[in-house]
Amino acid sequence: MKHRARLVRGRLTLKQALLTLLIATLISLVSGSLELLGHAHTMRRNIEQRTEQQIAIINGAAAEAAFQLNPELAEQIASGLFNASDVAYVMIQDDFGRVLANFDARSGPLGWLGEALFGDMLEYQAPLRYYVDDALPASRVGEIHLALDHEHLTARFLARSFSVVGISILEAFLLSLLFVLFFHVFITRPLLRVHAAIIETDPALPAQWPKPRLKGHRNDELGHLVESMDHLLREFQRGLEQRDHLHQLSHHDGLTGIANRRYFDTFLESQWAHAIQTQTPLAIIFIDIDCFKAFNDHYGHTTGDETLKSVARTLNRCIDSNTDLLARYGGEEFVCVLPGKDLYAALNTANHLRQAVLALAIPHAQNLTDSVLTLSMGVACQHPARDESPNHLLQLADARLYHAKNRGRNRIEAFRPVFPEA
């Protein structure tokens, strides 16, 4: 009898344990299924956000590579993206369709699960836009193409699915609940804080991200993750600063600090197109320092360089930097672009420039016309037409400058000699 009682109690205990396990398993399976649906949605959102952030972060550097037609820089950028675990294909093209960098490790066709989960979000394409100047619209200089690895994403999702199913089968409901609670408090919540900090990060200032302070995780994997993320974002910041420095070097003359010949060509083209559209005049002043080679030979190249800086600063202060442009054309030559100004306004500006440099009273013992540093200028103005090139206007100003030199220097020439040396 005692044996039967123990047997019955054992059976009841077993049934109760089995029933409890069954109920807990069913509830856990339902909960796990819902969790898988939520995980699929969250995973898709996180993948899209992370991919778009990666493209946004490297867009400026990729645009710089496309603008400079620099395959080496493009290869470095594409390689950095390609080494990410989710990326299977990266290609960077310039605006002529030429491939600057291409990494491809795409696998076979999509399975039904990969198609259902990620089929509509594997391909990404974004234009590369290069900001020549804050006052000008961004120029499209190429494209970046990116494809995610569907097998890797599916494997990640299946790994998570097996984990949820395994927990649902092997653990009791209460233990699962306690585990979820523990996981949320000590793992998920800190990860969400890290995720929120990344979302709030300004792509233009990644080093200034709101780095989270995770209590109790300083020396564990989460703490290491935060420190690694901080190091990565600081490196991105350094890369952005290097890109900005290269941008500064590519558009400004290294000696005088004003615009260089390359930026002048870009600015002239854009203002020529704008003048055609708005039917407004465009003027150019070609400027040359008189007898500057003799000045260098007499006073030395160090003094000559300092004089070029002083002249550039003086000329730049005499124009409206919001609309006009002063650039170093080469050697001792400068050029000034005056959008919207007619010939008489351009001549007044030229005279103002000439008088400002005369006021510097820089001694020039080798000058053929004066004892101080002087300028010769050629001025040209026209209403641009669609069948003409800005080079025509540039040649007119250059011809007027040549005329000013031949007529004795220290003067301004347009269609007739004006403002000669008194």
Side-chain angles (χ1 to χ4, degrees):
M1 292 292 295
K2 291 181 180 179
H3 176 69
R4 288 189 62 188
R6 287 196 299 271
L7 184 59
V8 171
R9 288 196 297 271
R11 287 177 179 176
L12 289 175
T13 302
L14 179 61
K15 289 178 180 179
Q16 183 181 18
L18 290 175
L19 181 60
T20 302
L21 179 61
L22 177 61
I23 294 174
T25 301
L26 290 175
I27 295 175
S28 298
L29 285 174
V30 173
S31 176
S33 299
L34 295 175
E35 183 180 349
L36 285 178
L37 290 176
H39 172 68
H41 178 72
T42 302
M43 183 177 177
R44 284 171 55 87
R45 185 176 66 247
N46 290 344
I47 290 171
E48 287 180 338
Q49 290 176 346
R50 184 171 62 249
T51 304
E52 290 172 357
Q53 285 178 350
Q54 288 175 326
I55 294 175
I57 288 174
I58 61 90
N59 188 279
E64 185 74 19
F67 177 73
Q68 295 182 355
L69 300 179
N70 188 339
E72 182 178 350
L73 178 58
E75 289 276 350
Q76 294 176 356
I77 296 166
S79 176
L81 276 178
F82 184 74
N83 289 331
S85 58
D86 294 339
V87 179
Y89 171 71
V90 179
M91 182 177 68
I92 297 176
Q93 295 177 306
D94 63 13
D95 55 340
F96 297 104
R98 293 174 293 194
V99 176
L100 299 178
N102 186 16
F103 293 87
D104 192 352
R106 288 175 290 189
S107 51
L110 276 171
W112 67 269
L113 182 59
E115 178 67 33
L117 290 173
F118 310 111
D120 61 341
M121 55 173 291
L122 295 177
E123 302 288 338
Y124 293 84
Q125 180 177 341
L128 300 176
R129 300 190 180 279
Y130 187 78
Y131 289 86
V132 176
D133 186 87
D134 292 338
L136 301 176
S139 300
R140 182 188 178 104
V141 296
E143 286 187 345
I144 181 169
H145 300 261
L146 185 146
L148 302 181
D149 188 346
H150 63 84
E151 289 189 352
H152 179 75
L153 296 178
T154 304
R156 284 174 54 192
F157 181 80
L158 288 176
R160 177 63 176 170
S161 303
F162 293 148
S163 174
V164 171
V165 172
I167 291 174
S168 300
I169 295 175
L170 298 177
E171 294 186 355
F173 174 75
L174 183 59
L175 182 60
S176 299
L177 180 62
L178 291 175
F179 176 78
V180 170
L181 180 62
F182 175 85
F183 196 84
H184 174 76
V185 172
F186 291 98
I187 304 297
T188 304
R189 189 163 62 184
L191 281 176
L192 290 176
R193 289 181 59 192
V194 175
H195 179 263
I198 295 173
I199 294 298
E200 295 173 6
T201 300
D202 183 356
L205 298 169
Q208 298 182 16
W209 76 304
K211 180 180 177 182
R213 304 294 180 183
L214 305 180
K215 294 182 179 180
H217 295 286
R218 182 175 181 181
N219 296 317
D220 63 10
E221 289 81 355
L222 284 177
H224 296 328
L225 173 64
V226 172
E227 293 302 322
S228 298
M229 183 63 66
D230 184 64
H231 175 72
L232 177 63
L233 293 177
R234 292 183 183 277
E235 289 300 317
F236 269 122
Q237 182 72 59
R238 188 175 293 110
L240 291 175
E241 291 172 353
Q242 291 175 350
R243 181 205 67 186
D244 293 340
H245 179 64
L246 290 174
H247 182 272
Q248 179 77 9
L249 292 178
S250 67
H251 290 159
H252 290 80
D253 178 59
L255 176 64
T256 62
I258 62 174
N260 60 13
R261 172 74 175 273
R262 179 175 183 174
Y263 182 64
F264 161 74
D265 291 337
T266 302
F267 184 81
L268 180 59
E269 288 282 352
S270 66
Q271 293 304 317
W272 183 269
H274 179 73
I276 293 175
Q277 182 179 5
T278 58
Q279 297 183 351
T280 54
L282 182 65
I284 285 183
I285 305 173
F286 240 127
I287 306 166
D288 182 77
I289 300 177
D290 294 327
C291 304
F292 191 71
K293 183 180 184 303
F295 182 93
N296 264 338
D297 293 340
H298 183 75
Y299 295 101
H301 288 279
T302 300
T303 301
D305 288 347
E306 292 301 320
T307 300
L308 284 174
K309 294 179 186 178
S310 179
V311 169
R313 286 194 299 267
T314 301
L315 295 176
N316 210 29
R317 285 195 295 264
C318 295
I319 64 171
D320 185 355
S321 59
N322 294 320
T323 57
D324 307 336
L325 176 75
L326 176 73
R328 187 181 180 192
Y329 197 76
E332 69 275 15
E333 287 187 324
F334 299 89
V335 63
C336 187
V337 184
L338 305 173
K341 289 185 171 62
D342 59 18
L343 180 61
Y344 295 103
L347 287 171
N348 286 330
T349 299
N351 189 48
H352 185 40
L353 296 174
R354 177 174 166 275
Q355 294 297 334
V357 172
L358 281 175
L360 294 176
I362 299 174
H364 189 349
Q366 303 299 312
N367 198 344
L368 300 178
T369 61
D370 205 321
S371 60
V372 296
L373 196 77
T374 59
L375 302 178
S376 295
M377 300 186 190
V379 181
C381 177
Q382 71 178 97
H383 283 76
R386 295 186 182 276
D387 58 348
E388 293 180 332
S389 165
N391 289 331
H392 176 67
L393 179 61
L394 198 61
Q395 290 169 2
L396 286 177
D398 187 38
R400 293 294 91 193
L401 173 61
Y402 183 77
H403 193 53
K405 290 181 180 180
N406 284 343
R407 292 179 63 92
R409 296 183 176 87
N410 189 18
R411 61 191 299 116
I412 300 169
E413 288 288 338
F415 298 106
R416 61 184 185 278
V418 294
F419 301 125
E421 171 64 11

